Amino acid sequence: MKMDKCSFCGREKKEVNLLIAGMEGHICDNCVEQAHAIVEEEFKKDQGIDIRSDRMALQRLKEAAEKAKPPFRISIVNRDTK
Ligand SMILES: [Zn+2]
């Protein structure tokens, strides 16, 4: 069985509280929170507020979000394994 790890930050599931599986990768709870912050920043961008995260991370999240569009099948990976 292959090692599950976050596709964004590279942390393995034992290093995060929660790892969520998408169709082509995984995302950890830390990155979900960061992604959420980025989404909020995107909405604020029109108002001239800078994006906190670096551009590469933002781009990767955007691409992943595009791929993850419906049907967005997710599952929680081994929440209890640490
Ligand atoms: Zn992550």
Side-chain angles (χ1 to χ4, degrees), residues 4-62:
D4 291 320
K5 63 181 183 180
C6 179
S7 303
F8 297 91
C9 68
R11 289 190 183 94
E12 296 174 10
K13 63 186 176 188
K14 66 186 177 186
E15 298 177 276
V16 300
N17 294 319
L18 200 62
L19 191 64
I20 300 168
M23 294 179 70
E24 296 186 27
H26 298 77
I27 187 167
C28 72
D29 56 319
N30 293 316
C31 290
V32 167
E33 286 185 16
Q34 190 174 11
H36 182 247
I38 290 169
V39 169
E40 288 189 339
E41 292 296 334
E42 282 290 290
F43 281 119
K44 290 176 183 173
K45 207 159 67 170
D46 288 341
Q47 300 169 32
I49 298 171
D50 290 336
I51 297 172
R52 286 174 296 184
S53 300
D54 68 86
R55 290 182 174 278
M56 281 305 296
L58 178 64
Q59 185 61 34
R60 286 165 65 193
L61 285 165
K62 278 183 173 177

